[in-house]
Amino acid sequence: ITVTDLTKVYRSRGRETAALDGVDLRVREGEVFGVVGRSGAGKSTLIRCINLLERPDSGTVTVAGQDLTALSGRELRAARTRIGMIFQHFNLLSARTVQDNVELPLEILGLSGQERARKALDLLDLVGLADRAKAYPAQLSGGQKQRVGIARALAGDPQVLLSDEATSALDPETTRSVLELLRELNRELGLTVLLITHEMDVVKAVCDSAALMRSGRITESGTLDELLATP
Ligand code: ADP
Ligand code: ADP
């Protein structure tokens, strides 16, 4: 993931907020990268610009060699299937079973019912939830819900997984196990992970490299060792 000179200004009721003020970021393939900063630093805006849920005002976002800011409509939808995303509040559909939640992106990709079921069950197995396929989200713990979120995010065989405060609603022990799962997927699938968080502990637990963000800017970045060595 390469982000170059990204800017985004919000205008509301005559006030302007530079949510992103010239952000440069480079996440290498196969790396777990964290962006850490306080509430309001611009982290969510950054991640929404990387999957182009939001259009930046200027700058470029390149994922796996493809400049996403240059794509339109159909191309963009195709490119987006290569980017998985997980959320703080999981964003599962409560009226659908666990399996159906994981199948949803596969439906959009046009897989047959049988292919979808096989793939969804494989993914649920991968995240340790094969036995809960027929359960509904409300019957799961927070950690289990996030595992479903991860399985769903992996359905399109993404090259990149984006995590928006994915452990912020979880207790410390569950946080640890979800971060361990992300680390495992990174190692086993070679998945590149970009996560945003307000907790330095999350970065320390799982990231190879990180950037500190403040007022729409990256103030420091480097490997975890480099960052922790900074006085
Ligand atoms: P973070 O994720 O680090 O908490 P955000 O990206 O949500 O930061 O927000 C960055 C800044 O942009 C904040 O000042 C926030 O209030 C503002 N902001 C975010 N989204 C909007 C929006 N849709 N409209 C106006 N201002 C926004
Ligand atoms: P979280 O902290 O859970 O990431 P936020 O409070 O940052 O959530 O943002 C929730 C939603 O509200 C986002 O869609 C964001 O774009 C929007 N938002 C954030 N700040 C503002 C703002 N100052 N004005 C308008 N919308 C905002």
Side-chain angles (χ1 to χ4, degrees):
I1 305 172
T2 306
V3 169
T4 309
D5 202 14
L6 210 60
T7 66
K8 176 79 187 178
V9 175
Y10 290 113
R11 293 178 180 81
S12 63
R13 286 180 245 100
R15 286 214 323 158
E16 290 197 348
T17 307
L20 299 178
D21 189 8
V23 170
D24 293 297
L25 203 67
R26 193 183 179 90
V27 180
R28 284 184 297 257
E29 190 178 350
E31 181 172 51
V32 179
F33 192 103
V35 175
V36 62
R38 293 209 176 131
S39 179
K43 306 182 299 296
S44 304
T45 305
L46 173 63
I47 215 163
R48 287 201 306 270
C49 283
I50 291 175
N51 67 8
L52 297 194
L53 281 174
E54 191 126 48
R55 279 263 169 202
D57 294 336
S58 64
T60 58
V61 176
T62 306
V63 176
Q66 193 171 34
D67 179 1
L68 300 185
T69 43
L71 302 180
S72 60
R74 179 197 300 262
E75 294 172 315
L76 187 59
R77 275 192 297 280
R80 256 200 214 121
T81 67
R82 311 293 289 167
I83 301 175
M85 178 109 176
I86 55 175
F87 307 89
Q88 178 172 6
H89 298 295
F90 323 120
N91 296 14
L92 302 177
L93 298 178
S94 57
R96 286 185 168 229
T97 64
V98 163
Q99 181 177 339
D100 285 349
N101 268 279
V102 178
E103 284 193 24
L104 194 62
L106 299 170
E107 233 171 282
I108 294 163
L109 288 172
L111 271 68
S112 74
Q114 208 174 7
E115 290 169 320
R116 290 201 304 265
R118 185 171 344 115
K119 177 122 205 196
L121 290 171
D122 280 350
L123 287 165
L124 286 170
D125 193 36
L126 188 67
V127 301
L129 277 182
D131 57 333
R132 304 311 308 273
K134 301 296 174 205
Y136 285 87
Q139 298 171 302
L140 303 181
S141 69
Q144 289 175 328
K145 283 181 202 163
Q146 195 56 285
R147 284 167 189 271
V148 178
I150 292 169
R152 180 186 55 188
L154 296 178
D157 295 321
Q159 293 143 309
V160 163
L161 180 69
L162 305 178
S163 167
D164 185 352
E165 297 277 6
T167 57
S168 297
L170 305 175
D171 63 65
E173 196 178 323
T174 310
T175 291
R176 210 171 312 123
S177 81
V178 167
L179 294 177
E180 267 164 28
L181 175 61
L182 289 180
R183 184 39 108 178
E184 226 173 275
L185 295 171
N186 162 259
R187 290 215 182 101
E188 285 169 20
L189 308 178
L191 189 68
T192 304
V193 179
L194 172 64
L195 64 86
I196 62 172
T197 178
H198 64 282
E199 292 173 293
M200 195 61 195
D201 282 347
V202 167
V203 170
K204 285 183 189 166
V206 72
C207 294
D208 302 306
S209 303
L212 311 185
M213 194 167 183
R214 185 180 181 161
S215 305
R217 295 186 188 170
I218 303 292
T219 55
E220 271 185 78
S221 70
T223 65
L224 205 58
D225 292 340
E226 285 166 353
L227 287 173
L228 296 177
T230 310

